[in-house]
Amino acid sequence: MAAARSRLVVGPWLLGPLLLGLWLFGLSVVAVAQSPAEKRAAIDHMLDALKAAPDEQSAVALESQLEQTWLRAGSPAVTLLMSRGLRSLQAGEDDEAVNSFSDAITLQPDLAEAWHQRALALYHDGNVKAAIQNLEETIRLEPRDFAAWHSLADIAAARQDWKGAYAAWQKVMELDPKTPGGEARLRLLKRRAVGEET
C-alpha cells in the first residue's frame, strides 16, 4: 500500500498484496467470534473470499486460514481431541488418530473437519472405503470444503479412477479457482478421464 500525499495510490502490482492484507485483517474477526452464528458467518466470508481470490498467494493464505479455523471450530474439548488426533496422525499412529477423531465426532457430530481428518487417518491406515464415506459426510456437512474435495480427488487418482478424480477436482476449482497448480491438474485429469486436451 503506497500513499501519495493525501491520496491512496494503488498500482496493479500492489493489488494482490493489498487485498491479501485486507482479507487477513478481516479474517482476524474469526479469532474473536464466539457464537456458532458468528463462526459460520466468518467461515462463509472466508469461503467467498477464497472463490474470489485474485492470485495463488492470496488463495494459499486463505486456504491455510480456513483449515486452521475448521480445526478450531469445535468446543474446547473437541479442539483438544482434534489436536491429539493430528499429533497421532503426524506420528504415524493411525489407530490413535482414528480414535481421537472418532471421539471428537461423538461429542460434535456436525463438525465437518473431524470427519475430514478421520478420513485421512483411515486412508493412511488402508481403509479406503471408510475414508471415502467420511469424506462424503464431510462434504454433506460443509459442501464448500475445498480440502475434502481435494482429498477425494487424490484418493480417486491413487485408485486410477480418473473420472472420479476429474469430477472432484472440478469442484475444487469451482470453490478455489486460484489453488496452486489447479488449472494444470484439471487439464491432466481431464485428459485421463475423457481423453481430451483442454
Side-chain angles (χ1 to χ4, degrees):
M1 189 181 304
R5 301 211 161 99
S6 62
R7 259 182 57 192
L8 179 67
V9 178
V10 180
W13 63 93
L14 291 175
L15 188 56
L18 172 64
L19 290 174
L20 176 61
L22 290 173
W23 281 122
L24 291 177
F25 176 77
L27 298 177
S28 64
V29 171
V30 174
V32 297
Q34 297 299 318
S35 76
E38 288 172 325
K39 288 180 183 179
R40 182 70 252 170
I43 289 170
D44 286 343
H45 174 72
M46 285 188 283
L47 286 166
D48 291 342
L50 183 64
K51 190 167 185 174
D55 52 42
E56 289 185 0
Q57 179 185 5
S58 302
V60 168
L62 287 161
E63 288 169 1
S64 177
Q65 184 71 33
L66 273 159
E67 288 167 357
Q68 290 303 309
T69 301
W70 280 328
L71 285 169
R72 295 187 308 259
S75 69
V78 168
T79 300
L80 179 63
L81 287 165
M82 294 292 287
S83 296
R84 184 181 302 160
L86 288 171
R87 282 193 304 273
S88 297
L89 191 57
Q90 290 168 354
E93 299 165 352
D94 299 327
D95 288 341
E96 288 299 318
V98 169
N99 289 338
S100 293
F101 296 131
S102 295
D103 290 344
I105 289 167
T106 298
L107 290 176
Q108 196 167 343
D110 64 342
L111 184 63
E113 191 59 20
W115 291 90
H116 183 205
Q117 293 301 322
R118 187 169 74 172
L120 298 178
L122 287 163
Y123 183 72
H124 289 169
D125 201 35
N127 194 340
V128 177
K129 182 178 179 182
I132 292 170
Q133 290 169 343
N134 276 252
L135 287 168
E136 289 170 347
E137 182 64 14
T138 304
I139 290 164
R140 186 188 73 75
L141 291 167
E142 178 52 83
R144 295 196 289 171
D145 190 331
F146 62 91
W149 287 106
H150 194 296
S151 297
L152 271 176
D154 289 345
I155 290 172
R159 300 170 73 198
Q160 297 188 350
D161 171 10
W162 302 119
K163 288 185 179 179
Y166 177 54
W169 198 256
Q170 283 180 299
K171 194 67 179 176
V172 171
M173 295 304 294
E174 176 188 323
L175 300 168
D176 186 4
K178 296 296 183 182
T179 192
E183 289 293 339
R185 186 170 188 195
L186 186 68
R187 288 191 297 271
L188 174 65
L189 290 173
K190 183 173 184 181
R191 280 198 303 273
R192 290 184 173 171
V194 297
E196 293 179 13
E197 292 285 345
T198 55

